[in-house]
Amino acid sequence: MSKTKVIHPDRDPAFATGAYSDGVIAGGFLFVSGQAAVDFKTSQFLLGTIEDETHRTLQNIKTIVESAGATLEDVVKCTVHLADIAEFDRYNTVYAHYFPGIKPARTTVQSVLAEGLKVEIDCIVKLPA
């Protein structure tokens, strides 16, 4: 099976975030690695409220998905890690605005996140034929 790497188009080439790709296309799907509230142009994490971080995280995902030729409507599954599950309702309000139609399948768990982050989201996208 052939694979293609997808990189956030605003990524600073010197911004090293780990041994993974922003996304990988394989078998008609895009697999987006866990994204967070980061400014890819400045290589800085943008910590804030759960609403701020959820918005920035989903904007990053949207940019990666669109750079692969899809839209958020093509997202079929998300996995969400929240630093504090008590913030679920506030995060969920922002999340819902990004998926107004058929919502993707989703798993949400509480996790210890690096860099003081409040949210991390990865997703699977069915690419248009």
Side-chain angles (χ1 to χ4, degrees):
M1 170 177 50
S2 113
K3 297 188 296 184
T4 304
K5 179 168 69 168
V6 177
I7 299 171
H8 190 292
D10 295 332
R11 178 181 281 282
D12 176 345
F15 183 33
T17 53
Y20 60 87
S21 300
D22 294 336
V24 174
I25 296 171
F29 288 89
L30 167 65
F31 300 85
V32 178
S33 292
Q35 298 298 313
V38 73
D39 181 337
F40 280 97
K41 291 178 182 176
T42 65
S43 307
Q44 298 294 313
F45 289 103
L46 302 174
L47 304 181
T49 65
I50 188 65
E51 293 89 353
D52 295 338
E53 289 192 32
T54 301
H55 174 70
R56 170 59 80 164
T57 300
L58 287 167
Q59 283 296 317
N60 285 339
I61 288 172
K62 181 176 186 274
T63 300
I64 293 166
V65 168
E66 289 176 350
S67 71
T71 71
L72 290 180
E73 290 179 12
D74 299 307
V75 174
V76 294
K77 172 73 166 82
C78 290
T79 302
V80 180
H81 297 266
L82 298 177
D84 183 354
I85 202 71
E87 295 184 316
F88 177 87
D89 289 339
R90 292 170 52 208
Y91 130 81
N92 198 48
T93 298
V94 175
Y95 177 95
H97 289 291
Y98 283 84
F99 301 103
I102 297 173
K103 311 284 190 243
R106 182 178 74 187
T107 301
T108 304
V109 297
Q110 180 170 304
S111 300
V112 176
L113 300 174
E115 308 292 337
L117 293 164
K118 290 180 172 45
V119 62
E120 181 176 337
I121 303 172
D122 67 65
C123 66
I124 301 170
V125 182
K126 176 67 174 118
L127 297 173

